[in-house]
Amino acid sequence: MNIHAPVHGALAKAQQFDEQTSAFGSDVIEALSQHPKKLSPKYFYDAAGSELFEQITKLPEYYPTRTELAILRARGGDIHAIIPKGAALVEFGAGATTKVRLLLDRCEFAAYVPVDISGDFLHAQAAELRADFPKLNVYPVTADFTAPFALPDAVEAMPKVGFFPGSTLGNFEPHEASAFLRSAREILGPGSLLLIGIDLEKDERLLHAAYNDAAGVTGRFNMNVLVRINAELGGNFDLSAFAHRAIYNRERHRIEMHLIAKRPQTVRVLGHSFNFRAGESIHTESSYKYSLDRFTALARGSGWTPKASWTDDAKMFSVHALVAGE
Ligand code: AVJ
């Protein structure tokens, strides 16, 4: 053991790292002990996983990102018209800044509050935006946005506009999606606006192609969670013994991603053994698809009043403006 006390910052960082690692570890042990086995999609996104997701957004088969961007561009005037001047824009999750830049370019926001669990990513993103929007106040908040968190004091008096693009809501089970919408209403306050991107139900062949791309990027993205378990938790997953599979579950309106064991095997993680039968699955992600009616009903039932909905001509994707009820 090192008898010299490390500098405070390094210690804090080491502790934070340990806590995150052990949360990941205990989650993985619990999720792989379930029947059927599961893993949370939030663990896809380390630096390599975020990079793979960026590649997914550019695939010819993956329509959501480019369709949502096209809607935001085409409806910029309508969006501008309903956003109060001097508002604070609160983004749930911080990813690529392409979408938020469209809003910041067109609407006069006084502040931008990106909220994300990964502080490093958040601060890099904030620095980038501060450089390009010198008059904008950027107040990053490091928090898990699926739980209640406090907005910075500096934006308290400003009107609030929430932004939750990308159909990230689709990763939540319907009851979790409702809980998120209720919590967002509490955080933003009555009368606030929420701009939210929601992927729509469509021909199953298009959904299937979007999650089983010809170049195999989605498969590598899916497999990245096993790469992380091996690297960070000392797991011994044999990556060549698992296959990517994405299927549309029609009854539950969702794409499911699975990792399928190609043969019987035992995998060890943090001193635990997990047995797999040939063909056994780890369910790694659900991506719910909504009809416009089912989404507006969910929003109403969660304390929000739909104000406007926009889609592309082919009705592939939707963007909704909701107003928070009292
Ligand atoms: C970021 C959750 C919206 O569900 O389409 C992309 C993630 N998974 N390809 C989605 C994802 C496989 C994506 N979301």
Side-chain angles (χ1 to χ4, degrees):
M1 202 185 118
N2 184 354
I3 54 160
H4 301 284
V7 293
H8 179 73
L11 179 61
K13 216 162 170 114
Q15 273 170 356
Q16 191 194 358
F17 175 78
D18 284 351
E19 273 164 35
Q20 283 173 4
T21 305
S22 66
F24 179 35
S26 49
D27 264 23
V28 165
I29 300 305
E30 196 190 302
L32 291 181
S33 305
Q34 292 184 30
H35 305 281
K37 293 180 174 69
K38 294 196 298 184
L39 286 170
S40 167
K42 71 180 173 197
Y43 295 123
F44 288 140
Y45 302 94
D46 64 345
S50 299
E51 171 53 32
L52 284 165
F53 180 68
E54 282 309 301
Q55 286 180 35
I56 288 175
T57 65
K58 291 166 190 142
L59 292 168
E61 300 96 328
Y62 192 77
Y63 61 84
T65 311
R66 75 176 63 86
T67 311
E68 182 176 42
L69 272 167
I71 296 169
L72 290 173
R73 259 189 219 109
R75 301 304 188 162
D78 299 354
I79 294 170
H80 179 254
I82 61 173
I83 286 180
K85 266 204 186 117
L89 181 64
V90 179
E91 182 168 7
F92 297 93
T97 56
T98 327
K99 291 169 193 170
V100 80
R101 279 167 185 274
L102 279 178
L103 298 183
L104 294 173
D105 277 338
R106 289 202 73 135
C107 308
E108 291 121 277
F109 286 105
Y112 172 54
V113 184
V115 184
D116 200 88
I117 190 114
S118 160
D120 289 348
F121 199 69
L122 202 57
H123 288 95
Q125 193 219 44
E128 208 187 284
L129 283 172
R130 282 192 187 105
D132 293 339
F133 297 88
K135 280 185 289 190
L136 183 72
N137 293 299
V138 183
Y139 304 108
V141 173
T142 307
D144 176 354
F145 63 74
T146 62
F149 63 89
L151 289 177
D153 291 343
V155 306
E156 205 184 323
M158 300 174 188
K160 315 289 186 302
V161 178
F163 187 42
F164 196 34
S167 203
T168 304
L169 191 80
N171 267 178
F172 299 151
E173 295 300 319
H175 72 278
E176 296 170 337
S178 181
F180 168 80
L181 290 170
R182 284 172 195 284
S183 153
R185 188 197 54 176
E186 291 304 313
I187 291 161
L188 297 170
S192 297
L193 217 59
L194 179 63
L195 291 174
I196 184 166
I198 300 293
D199 199 8
L200 298 175
E201 286 180 307
K202 58 185 60 64
D203 186 325
E204 277 182 48
R205 285 166 297 187
L206 295 175
L207 287 171
H208 191 268
Y211 293 82
N212 291 282
D213 62 289
V217 183
T218 308
R220 288 201 288 284
F221 174 71
N222 196 4
M223 213 66 90
N224 187 54
V225 69
L226 302 187
V227 174
R228 284 194 67 187
I229 293 171
N230 285 354
E232 295 172 37
L233 305 176
N236 68 348
F237 274 101
D238 173 357
L239 303 186
S240 71
F242 285 84
H244 162 74
R245 184 158 86 201
I247 52 148
Y248 187 59
N249 182 330
R250 201 175 309 130
E251 292 72 46
R252 302 181 81 168
H253 314 278
R254 69 190 197 194
I255 283 278
E256 296 175 2
M257 291 216 304
H258 297 266
L259 290 166
I260 308 289
K262 292 184 189 166
R263 44 182 183 268
Q265 57 198 288
T266 301
V267 177
R268 288 188 65 79
V269 182
L270 294 174
H272 296 251
S273 293
F274 300 98
N275 297 319
F276 288 82
R277 291 173 277 105
E280 186 173 349
S281 137
I282 310 173
H283 182 177
T284 51
E285 183 178 52
S286 291
S287 187
Y288 280 85
K289 309 302 170 190
Y290 287 87
S291 68
L292 291 173
D293 284 349
R294 273 194 303 111
F295 177 70
T296 42
L298 174 74
R300 281 186 203 283
S302 313
W304 293 89
T305 304
K307 188 178 173 80
S309 311
W310 304 285
T311 69
D312 54 303
D313 290 342
K315 294 204 164 43
M316 299 279 273
F317 200 91
S318 62
V319 176
H320 303 254
L322 311 173
V323 180
E326 290 301 319

